[in-house]
Amino acid sequence: GENVEQHPSTLSVQEGDSAVIKCTYSDSASNYFPWYKQELGKGPQLIIDIRSNVGEKKDQRIAVTLNKTAKHFSLHITETQPEDSAVYFCAASRRNTPLVFGKGTRLSVIA
Amino acid sequence: DTEVTQTPKHLVMGMTNKKSLKCEQHMGHRAMYWYKQKAKKPPELMFVYSYEKLSINESVPSRFSPECPNSSLLNLHLHALQPEDSALYLCASSLLTGNTEAFFGQGTRLTVV
């Protein structure tokens, strides 16, 4: 089955700096890669996703890149703000298979 | 509208109680999920319903009993739980199972005493 590794487990950045979180997956048939943000006491919120036919996707300060050959994908947050502080999960899936999550990254943005 | 609504938000129950968690979505999604999440861990898949039929049961103990009354509703019936079952229970839905956007509810914080 699919296995998703996520690094780092914790990340602290100064406000205004960039943050990068990386994930690798094992199943070459996986073709959908979402990222979730989870704030304390809340459910995970889908913030961006990418499919295997695309190498990069951007939405304002958030971008995701995918390298199918190397089986890894990354989340990039630019101009970080205190409200970006949360736990971020990457995930992978393919047709008829539920999401498999990475272990999460706790991001702290220091004002 | 990408809302998945879960009730109740918080639940405290004794080990001999019977309670139910409820989940509702009106996005026309045909896949619905129950996840369990412990502190500082990722969501852990429990059950998947596809077109109102149970398609995946991740070897969950029988004290957890899912039910999908219709395409918009998902319930999780709880009976004879243990303190270690205390966790955040999350419901999610997606158009289909796999490789489509999945949206989560806010969760039910369950405490078993």
Side-chain angles (χ1 to χ4, degrees):
Chain A
E2 177 65 276
N3 182 50
V4 178
E5 298 281 343
Q6 182 172 346
H7 299 281
S9 56
T10 60
L11 178 60
S12 290
V13 299
Q14 292 289 329
E15 182 178 359
D17 287 351
S18 295
V20 180
I21 302 171
K22 299 183 178 183
C23 289
T24 60
Y25 61 98
S26 61
D27 185 353
S28 56
S30 288
N31 58 3
Y32 175 65
F33 307 94
W35 286 89
Y36 288 85
K37 174 183 181 183
Q38 187 173 24
E39 296 173 293
L40 197 61
K42 297 187 176 182
Q45 176 193 4
L46 178 66
I47 57 171
I48 196 167
D49 57 12
I50 192 166
R51 297 185 181 279
S52 57
N53 59 347
V54 175
E56 184 174 1
K57 185 176 178 181
K58 191 173 180 180
D59 182 4
Q60 299 183 341
R61 296 187 297 107
I62 294 173
V64 58
T65 59
L66 171 66
N67 183 326
K68 279 197 310 182
T69 303
K71 294 207 280 274
H72 66 70
F73 56 113
S74 301
L75 178 71
H76 304 253
I77 306 173
T78 58
E79 301 172 20
T80 53
Q81 301 167 3
E83 51 265 38
D84 294 328
S85 296
V87 178
Y88 291 81
F89 292 101
C90 64
S93 79
R94 57 185 170 88
R95 189 180 174 198
N96 295 326
T97 303
L99 296 172
V100 176
F101 286 90
K103 291 191 186 306
T105 297
R106 182 170 299 277
L107 173 65
S108 299
V109 179
I110 304 163
Chain B
D1 180 15
T2 58
E3 189 170 1
V4 176
T5 304
Q6 288 188 244
T7 55
K9 287 186 168 44
H10 301 274
L11 179 62
V12 179
M13 62 184 290
M15 289 188 283
T16 58
N17 291 160
K18 286 186 181 180
K19 296 286 184 184
S20 297
L21 310 185
K22 297 186 182 301
C23 175
E24 189 168 2
Q25 58 87 14
H26 296 287
M27 295 177 277
H29 288 175
R30 304 317 300 265
M32 295 187 76
Y33 313 80
W34 281 115
Y35 287 85
K36 174 182 177 179
Q37 188 177 29
K38 292 283 220 179
K40 301 186 179 181
K41 298 288 187 183
E44 178 186 341
L45 184 66
M46 300 175 72
F47 303 104
V48 180
Y49 273 83
S50 177
Y51 289 89
E52 300 160 53
K53 292 189 186 335
L54 183 65
S55 61
I56 296 176
N57 176 342
E58 291 286 353
S59 302
V60 179
S62 60
R63 57 186 184 269
F64 295 91
S65 174
E67 178 195 21
C68 189
N70 60 53
S71 60
S72 298
L73 295 175
L74 186 66
N75 298 323
L76 185 63
H77 302 298
L78 314 173
H79 174 53
L81 294 193
Q82 303 296 309
E84 57 265 30
D85 295 322
S86 298
L88 181 67
Y89 287 84
L90 294 162
C91 173
S93 72
S94 61
L95 187 61
L96 300 168
T97 303
N99 73 3
T100 60
E101 293 92 335
F103 298 96
F104 283 81
Q106 293 295 290
T108 294
R109 173 70 60 190
L110 174 67
T111 304
V112 181
V113 297

